Each structure stands twice: as C-alpha cells, then as structure tokens.
Amino acid sequence: MAGELSRRTSLSQPEHVSDKLLHGDVRTQYAAICHRQNNGDGSIEVLLITSRDSGRWVIPKGWPMRKKKPHEVARQEAWEEAGGRGRVRKKAWGHYTYMKKLDDGELVPAIVQVHLLDVAQMEDDFPERHQRRLAWFMPSIAASAVEEPELRGLITKLELLDPDEGRLRRVPEPSR
C-alpha cells in the first residue's frame, strides 16, 4: 500500500532493512581516507570530517558519479567535503558497510569502497567548508572516533603503511 511506508515506526525499521538486504537493495558509495605524513616525526595522520546531520566523525564519501571511476569519485569527495587535494590510489584499500539515512529519513544498507588519498595540499575554499569541521588524527585516535567497525579496521591498517614506498610493511611472523 502507498501509505504503508509512512506509517512505519522506528521499531519496524530493522525489519525493513533486513528485507532490503534479502532483496539485494544495497547502495554503493565511494570514499577517501585522506592521510599525510607528519613532517616532524614521519608518522601518518588521518583527516576526519564531521557529518552534516549528526556531527559524528566520518571520512569523505559520496554516491557514484557519471563518467567517473570509483577512485575519481573518492578524490572529488575529498575535495568537496574536506578541501583535500592529492594523489588517490586506483586500487581500493577496502570496504565497509553502514546504514545510510536518506534525505526522506529512510535507512538503507550501504557498502562503501574506500580509496587512499595522499594529501599534498589543503585548500581553504571548497564547497562544504561551512558545513563541516575537519581535524587530523593519529590513525589509532581516528579509528576510535568513527562508529563503523570495518572503517576502524581500515584506518588502523594505515599504521602499517610504509610512507616512503606507499605499501604495507611486512609484519614479521610471531616466533613459536
């Protein structure tokens, strides 16, 4: 029925979301983990921004864009939402899932493909500059500031990034 969705309560939302998952109604977004090397000690820092609606800490992300590849969307969102410019990796760093609240209040499951963006410069003039706060964090602090467990893991993995080579460092196997 047409009015059925509008009569749903917040208690019926999980049932509605489960139904969407069962029928493959999952939205896709693309995001950037913006990072830089601290000039003082060479450590890596991660840029987080606040969401426009709740003010929680997130990374720049957005919907697919016509004629843009996923890594290009991630780079565009980093500039539009945070003013970050730099080199983006084409290969995805990973994925995470979360519940996206649409403009009409509906919750939908979303999977986010994440790309790394090595920030070369921060611009003061970018489209969403008056709508968000920005802050640089050590990866462990950034990971604890975001809500999504899978995103926490992707941010924490940055601590293994070799800043000189741009690849993950090999971690020695534990001795037995």
Side-chain angles (χ1 to χ4, degrees), residues 2-137:
E4 183 181 70
L5 186 60
S6 64
R7 287 195 300 268
R8 290 198 174 155
T9 67
S10 60
L11 294 175
S12 67
Q13 280 285 14
E15 180 183 320
H16 178 66
V17 169
S18 296
D19 189 52
K20 286 183 170 296
L21 283 170
L22 286 172
H23 291 91
D25 187 10
V26 178
R27 308 295 171 94
T28 300
Q29 292 189 300
Y30 302 110
I33 292 180
C34 301
H35 66 92
R36 69 181 181 191
Q37 190 172 357
N38 182 318
N39 291 334
D41 62 5
S43 64
I44 291 177
E45 297 177 320
V46 177
L47 179 66
L48 295 182
I49 61 174
T50 54
S51 67
R52 289 186 292 189
D53 58 349
S54 67
R56 63 190 179 87
W57 290 109
V58 298
I59 60 175
K61 67 181 166 295
W63 300 109
M65 296 177 186
R66 265 185 105 167
K67 298 185 179 183
K68 285 195 186 274
K69 295 178 180 177
H71 69 280
E72 295 171 328
V73 174
R75 180 177 50 220
Q76 180 72 24
E77 294 298 333
W79 175 72
E80 288 181 9
E81 297 183 2
R85 296 275 195 194
R87 198 169 125 210
V88 67
R89 285 194 185 186
K90 290 181 182 179
K91 184 178 178 184
W93 182 247
H95 297 79
Y96 73 95
T97 56
Y98 80 111
M99 296 307 301
K100 172 70 177 167
K101 186 176 182 181
L102 300 177
D103 291 340
D104 65 2
E106 181 182 5
L107 288 176
V108 296
I111 184 163
V112 183
Q113 180 174 309
V114 179
H115 294 264
L116 292 183
L117 186 127
D118 188 358
V119 176
Q121 72 180 69
M122 293 295 295
E123 295 187 3
D124 293 329
D125 189 20
F126 56 95
E128 297 183 17
R129 68 188 171 280
H130 298 298
Q131 300 171 32
R132 302 177 185 274
R133 290 188 346 250
L134 293 75
W136 290 95
F137 298 92

Side-chain angles (χ1 to χ4, degrees), residues 145-163:
V146 299
E147 290 181 1
E148 299 83 1
E150 297 154 315
L151 178 56
R152 285 185 194 137
L154 294 174
I155 293 171
T156 301
K157 192 166 79 165
L158 273 177
E159 293 176 335
L160 300 175
L161 189 67
D162 184 332

